[in-house]
Amino acid sequence: MTIKSDPNGIDIATERPSDLDALNAKLQAAKARRPQDKAPSSNGNALGMAWRLSTELIVSVLVGTGLGYGLDKFFETSPWILLVGMGFGFAAGIKAVLRTADRMDAADANIPLGTDLPDALENEDDL
Amino acid sequence: MANDPMQQFEIKKIFDLPDIAGQDLAFTNASLWMVVGGLAIIGFFFLTLKGKLIPGRMQSLGELSYEFIANMVKDTTGPEAMKFFPFVFCLFFFILFANIIGMNPYAFTTTSHLAVTVFLAFFTIALVIIAGIWKNGFKWFKIFAPAGLPLLMYPIIILIEIISFLARPITLSVRLFANMVAGHVILKLFAIFIAFLIGKGGILAGAAIFPIIGTMAIVALEFLVAGLQAFVFAILTCVYLNDVYHVDH
């Protein structure tokens, strides 16, 4: 990009790019000044995470119990399948919560899903 | 002055429609506000349709919302899931607009009814199941049986996986529904409290300043929740769409 060094006439065609370049330089400077935040929305997400984890746990227990209740009605074995179902529901809830938490951790660390965490990250809480 | 905080969720018939299969069909206030939401979304994206090289304010909004959802789909599920982008996009904006329109006085919050949220959630899960079987055939059912476990564990794990799969549509719908209902009830209770205190007069009327501050804070929180729940619903849809593409996880 060349700027005509014409002192009095302003050439729009050459003026424009220089404006953009100045803006670009400003933007780069502003970006450099700003601290690098990897997950810009992660703070507002805390509430969403809490809701996700808690509903997953509770609803899994309810679904397990409900299935047990339905099977009990069907086989007339009340309350045995309900109790077993409650246990399975709880297990399913814990499993779902752990899986979601894993996923959130991976998202926080900007690691694509499916890759194993590096050792340094895995043992972070041992430090 | 309505003193019942649940009254705002009441469904009222606006006009009757002919019955289908013995079901009493009617155009209700919920239907009306869903139509309003749909029209608002169409109107919003009409305003963003300028298509200039250097986008104006509205065009930026449109482009940002496209990129926001597109990145969500790509990051959570993978680029191959962009086939489902229109679905996630519609879902997000329908819920977002329904929630935000519901924050207006006299408007009806359509997402505060289980009928609406359950339909959205069941449709999402049905889509996952149908697309999963369509794409993988019956191998898709392997999502219930993760590979590499001792044989004895499989009956237990499969049962657990099925329960947590069945819990998904319920968590999706109940979370959205409960958030919207809880927020609106609290808002209404605070508002009733203000009217009550002012009605008492004297020093109590002065004390009404506290619920007024509380109401303002909750309104702000509710706007956050409105956006957040739409976001959570959309991102969970993406997470569940994972099961269409990554059967052996």
Side-chain angles (χ1 to χ4, degrees):
Chain A
M1 187 227 40
T2 51
I3 301 171
K4 268 189 211 160
S5 48
D6 195 345
N8 42 13
I10 297 164
D11 195 341
I12 291 170
T14 51
E15 180 80 4
R16 264 257 168 88
S18 81
D19 265 4
L20 278 180
D21 271 14
L23 186 65
N24 195 27
K26 267 192 208 164
L27 273 176
Q28 294 296 343
K31 267 186 193 162
R33 256 184 280 124
R34 208 168 146 205
Q36 287 293 318
D37 40 358
K38 54 186 179 191
S41 59
S42 78
N43 224 356
N45 273 345
L47 191 62
M49 284 184 183
W51 266 100
R52 274 173 70 179
L53 293 174
S54 49
T55 43
E56 259 167 29
L57 184 59
I58 293 166
V59 169
S60 294
V61 177
L62 290 183
V63 167
T65 316
L67 280 181
Y69 179 78
L71 289 175
D72 260 348
K73 273 255 158 132
F74 190 74
F75 293 115
E76 294 177 354
T77 49
S78 177
W80 300 110
I81 309 182
L82 183 141
L83 292 177
V84 173
M86 199 185 278
F88 271 110
F90 193 67
I94 298 281
K95 198 165 184 303
V97 165
L98 285 180
R99 189 186 290 160
T100 311
D102 265 0
R103 212 172 250 140
M104 284 169 177
D105 277 354
D108 255 10
N110 270 341
I111 297 166
L113 279 177
T115 47
D116 285 326
L117 290 178
D119 287 342
L121 266 173
E122 248 170 13
N123 300 330
E124 202 173 33
D125 42 4
D126 296 347
L127 296 175
Chain B
M1 175 75 222
N3 268 328
D4 180 6
M6 298 310 277
Q7 202 190 33
Q8 56 181 322
F9 304 118
E10 206 176 308
I11 300 241
K12 296 183 197 90
K13 269 185 198 177
I14 294 177
F15 54 82
D16 266 316
L17 295 174
D19 291 7
I20 295 176
Q23 293 295 313
D24 180 20
L25 290 186
F27 190 84
T28 61
N29 51 352
S31 335
L32 173 70
W33 285 102
M34 272 186 253
V35 171
V36 169
L39 290 178
I41 295 168
I42 294 171
F44 170 70
F45 283 106
F46 249 105
L47 290 176
T48 67
L49 277 180
K50 291 266 171 57
K52 287 191 188 124
L53 186 62
I54 299 167
R57 232 174 259 167
M58 286 313 282
Q59 196 190 333
S60 292
L61 266 179
E63 286 175 5
L64 275 177
S65 46
Y66 170 85
E67 270 170 26
F68 176 61
I69 304 291
N71 284 338
M72 186 196 287
V73 174
K74 277 183 211 150
D75 291 348
T76 323
T77 316
E80 69 272 24
M82 282 303 277
K83 271 181 205 160
F84 290 104
F85 168 79
F87 174 67
V88 181
F89 196 79
C90 289
L91 207 54
F92 176 78
F93 275 93
F94 179 76
I95 296 171
L96 182 69
F97 272 66
N99 291 353
I100 287 180
I101 287 173
M103 287 303 296
N104 290 301
Y106 301 107
F108 181 85
T109 322
T110 48
T111 40
S112 67
H113 275 269
L114 268 179
V116 176
T117 59
V118 164
F119 171 74
L120 291 175
F122 272 57
F123 190 87
T124 306
I125 299 299
L127 186 75
V128 170
I129 295 174
I130 292 167
I133 294 178
W134 183 282
K135 201 170 163 296
N136 306 295
F138 283 95
K139 268 193 220 154
W140 178 76
F141 287 98
K142 271 205 276 183
I143 64 158
F144 296 120
L149 282 175
L151 209 62
L152 212 63
M153 289 289 282
Y154 272 107
I156 299 172
I157 286 293
I158 288 173
L159 205 59
I160 289 176
E161 290 284 341
I162 288 174
I163 290 175
S164 62
F165 189 85
L166 289 178
R168 283 174 179 186
I170 302 172
T171 46
L172 264 185
S173 50
V174 167
R175 186 185 305 113
L176 178 58
F177 154 80
N179 264 287
M180 297 326 287
V181 168
H184 282 79
V185 167
I186 292 174
L187 214 51
K188 198 76 165 190
L189 282 176
F190 268 85
I192 291 170
F193 197 43
I194 296 170
F196 170 78
L197 283 179
I198 290 177
K200 285 278 175 187
I203 189 124
L204 283 176
I209 189 77
F210 297 113
I212 288 174
I213 293 170
T215 313
M216 272 153 46
I218 290 171
V219 166
L221 179 72
E222 277 309 294
F223 272 106
L224 173 74
V225 168
L228 190 69
Q229 288 308 318
F231 170 74
V232 167
F233 203 105
I235 203 159
L236 281 180
T237 303
C238 296
V239 169
Y240 296 158
L241 282 173
N242 251 322
D243 283 345
V244 175
Y245 291 100
H246 311 286
V247 172
D248 28 35
H249 56 142

